[in-house]
Amino acid sequence: MDKKTNNLGLKLGILATSLLISDATAISVTVAPMEATFSNISATTVESLVTIPSFSMLLFILLSNFVIRLIGKKKTVLLGLSMAFIGGVLPAFVTSFPAIIFCRFLLGAGVGTYNTLAVGLISDFFTGVEQKKLLGFQTATSAIGSALTTFLAGILVSYDWHYAYLVYALSIPILLVFYLNVPEPSKKIANDSSALNAQEKNKIKLNSTVILSVVSMFFMFVFLMNIATKTSEFLTEQNIKNAAFLGTALTIGGLLGAVSGFLYGRVYVHLKNITPIFSSAVVALGFAGVAYSSEMILFTVGTSLVYIGYSMLISYLYGVIFDNVNAASKNISVSLAMVACNLGAFFSPYIVSIISNAIGNSSAKEGLSMSVLFYGVLAVIFVFPVFKKGIGSNTTKAIDGNN
């Protein structure tokens, strides 16, 4: 075959794996109808179906290196996609709530098994400008996959909430494209990488700025997940017309968030360390638009602002982390950040529920209002580093590396 054709197939095969890595929240549109079906189950437990994959994903990200050493990278991706297919689609055919919980756990486990390879394989096969370009495409592919599955789930849920889970059948064509186009990477690459990691272990250092950034990411996700776990319930609670538009609203928000991420470098050049204040305020404004909306237009605008602001904020924090660690510490720092994000997502419904019970108001609107307050306070907190010349300066190089 033509070399260029093979190269294109390789790129498509690797990028295809990213279509599924951010799709756990696609079925957030099913929360309200599932609460009606499982009326004997607490709302918090039903909401946790959206976030359970984040927990199992975290566990299997930590286990993935062992699996890779055992069966190789290609088989690890194929195993992960197979697990994701079974766990993702099975809820469309079962009626037992415990079984659905297990399936959601299995979905996250499958994605977590190959999650790191969605990026790692790019560095295995490509270098230089080509590698950076593909890393940008990887981010876009992930956003497109999330938007696509959320949109389709929004359509399917109008027939029956079971059908919404069929969006995870997307894992089958992904598996086939990957299997047909991506070979097992050279073992020499993996061995060289392992040797380098062994040499650098004793050089790993994390300062207080990195730790504060990681902790911030945890709480950011705790209150960010309300956009996925509370919105379906909110629309039902407030009896807002055209609630079936929820899936489309989340899709629009996701796509605009992806665009925001691509534009982040330019935004930072102009705003510098004011960036986290601005982006936190945008997220707070977005949640306010959602929480106090009485029609779908304002709701959609609010949702879009949440995704736009979050995309810039998370990029800024990764930039701060990169600016405050040495080369040996970057991998562990990013891993800690991923762990914090996944833990925050998993514990979100429980933490929000505890706060709701403490204040005596468990409505979805109150949950969304908590997010307004949190991100508003976060914007104020970020003011202090600005007046102290910043806790860390995001270099242009770091920004380009993230986008």
Side-chain angles (χ1 to χ4, degrees):
M1 287 188 183
D2 182 77
K3 185 176 181 181
K4 184 176 288 186
T5 303
N6 280 338
N7 196 34
L8 176 61
L10 176 62
K11 292 176 182 177
L12 291 176
I14 294 174
L15 291 174
T17 62
S18 293
L19 286 169
L20 202 65
I21 62 177
S22 299
D23 298 353
T25 60
I27 53 85
S28 59
V29 293
T30 68
V31 170
M34 289 187 74
E35 286 178 352
T37 300
F38 300 103
S39 56
N40 60 321
I41 306 293
S42 71
T44 299
T45 304
V46 175
E47 290 170 4
S48 71
L49 291 175
V50 179
T51 59
I52 283 173
S54 297
F55 179 70
S56 54
M57 194 183 303
L58 165 64
L59 293 179
F60 281 79
I61 284 174
L62 298 175
L63 292 172
S64 61
N65 283 333
F66 170 76
V67 178
I68 291 169
R69 287 196 299 269
L70 192 66
I71 64 175
K73 293 186 176 182
K74 181 170 183 175
K75 289 181 180 178
T76 296
V77 174
L78 296 176
L79 173 64
L81 287 170
S82 299
M83 292 166 63
F85 169 72
I86 297 171
V89 173
L90 205 55
F93 306 99
V94 299
T95 56
S96 166
F97 191 80
I100 294 174
I101 288 179
F102 173 76
C103 289
R104 296 296 289 169
F105 182 92
L106 184 60
L107 169 68
V111 175
T113 297
Y114 80 87
N115 200 327
T116 57
L117 293 176
V119 174
L121 286 171
I122 293 176
S123 64
D124 282 344
F125 289 103
F126 302 95
T127 59
V129 175
E130 193 78 1
Q131 182 189 90
K132 291 179 181 178
K133 186 186 297 183
L134 285 172
L135 287 172
F137 290 165
Q138 187 272 330
T139 301
T141 304
S142 175
I144 291 170
S146 178
L148 176 64
T149 52
T150 300
F151 176 71
L152 292 176
I155 295 174
L156 294 171
V157 76
S158 63
Y159 297 97
D160 190 289
W161 64 258
H162 286 89
Y163 296 156
Y165 286 88
L166 293 174
V167 297
Y168 295 110
L170 176 66
S171 54
I172 292 300
I174 293 174
L175 186 151
L176 291 175
V177 171
F178 179 83
Y179 174 76
L180 294 172
N181 291 286
V182 182
E184 177 67 27
S186 168
K187 288 185 178 181
K188 184 178 183 301
I189 297 173
N191 290 337
D192 289 346
S193 177
S194 297
L196 178 62
N197 288 337
Q199 293 172 2
E200 294 185 336
K201 277 184 179 178
N202 59 354
K203 299 179 183 177
I204 294 174
K205 294 180 180 179
L206 303 177
N207 62 26
S208 59
T209 299
V210 173
I211 294 172
L212 284 173
S213 296
V214 170
V215 171
S216 296
M217 288 179 174
F218 171 82
F219 286 104
M220 278 169 51
F221 264 79
V222 166
F223 293 98
L224 178 71
M225 289 304 294
N226 281 336
I227 202 68
T229 59
K230 294 294 184 182
T231 47
S232 178
E233 181 185 352
F234 171 78
L235 293 176
T236 302
E237 185 180 278
Q238 300 296 316
N239 196 29
I240 294 177
K241 295 180 180 179
N242 301 316
F245 192 74
L246 172 61
T248 303
L250 293 174
T251 300
I252 293 172
L255 290 175
L256 290 177
V259 173
S260 174
F262 285 125
L263 295 177
Y264 169 70
R266 294 183 180 182
V267 173
Y268 179 79
V269 166
H270 294 290
L271 298 181
K272 303 295 182 184
N273 287 322
I274 297 176
T275 304
I277 301 172
F278 173 74
S279 53
S280 297
V282 169
V283 177
L285 182 62
F287 269 114
V290 172
Y292 300 100
S293 60
S294 57
E295 54 186 27
M296 283 303 298
I297 293 178
L298 179 57
F299 178 92
T300 302
V301 171
T303 300
S304 298
L305 288 176
V306 168
Y307 281 100
I308 290 170
Y310 158 75
S311 184
M312 289 188 289
L313 183 57
I314 199 71
S315 296
Y316 177 85
L317 287 176
Y318 271 117
V320 169
I321 290 174
F322 288 152
D323 280 352
N324 285 275
V325 296
N326 56 27
S329 304
K330 285 187 178 180
N331 287 337
I332 185 64
S333 298
V334 173
S335 296
L336 286 173
M338 290 180 65
V339 168
C341 292
N342 280 282
L343 282 177
F346 173 73
F347 284 111
S348 174
Y350 303 105
I351 293 175
V352 171
S353 178
I354 290 171
I355 297 173
S356 296
N357 291 333
I359 62 179
N361 188 339
S362 59
S363 67
K365 182 174 183 177
E366 186 63 28
L368 292 166
S369 297
M370 288 180 204
S371 296
V372 178
L373 179 61
F374 171 79
Y375 280 97
V377 171
L378 191 62
V380 174
I381 291 174
F382 276 122
V383 169
F384 296 100
V386 171
F387 289 116
K388 295 177 181 178
K389 298 185 179 179
I391 57 175
S393 59
N394 299 44
T395 62
T396 303
K397 183 178 179 180
I399 296 168
D400 292 339
N402 268 322
N403 289 281

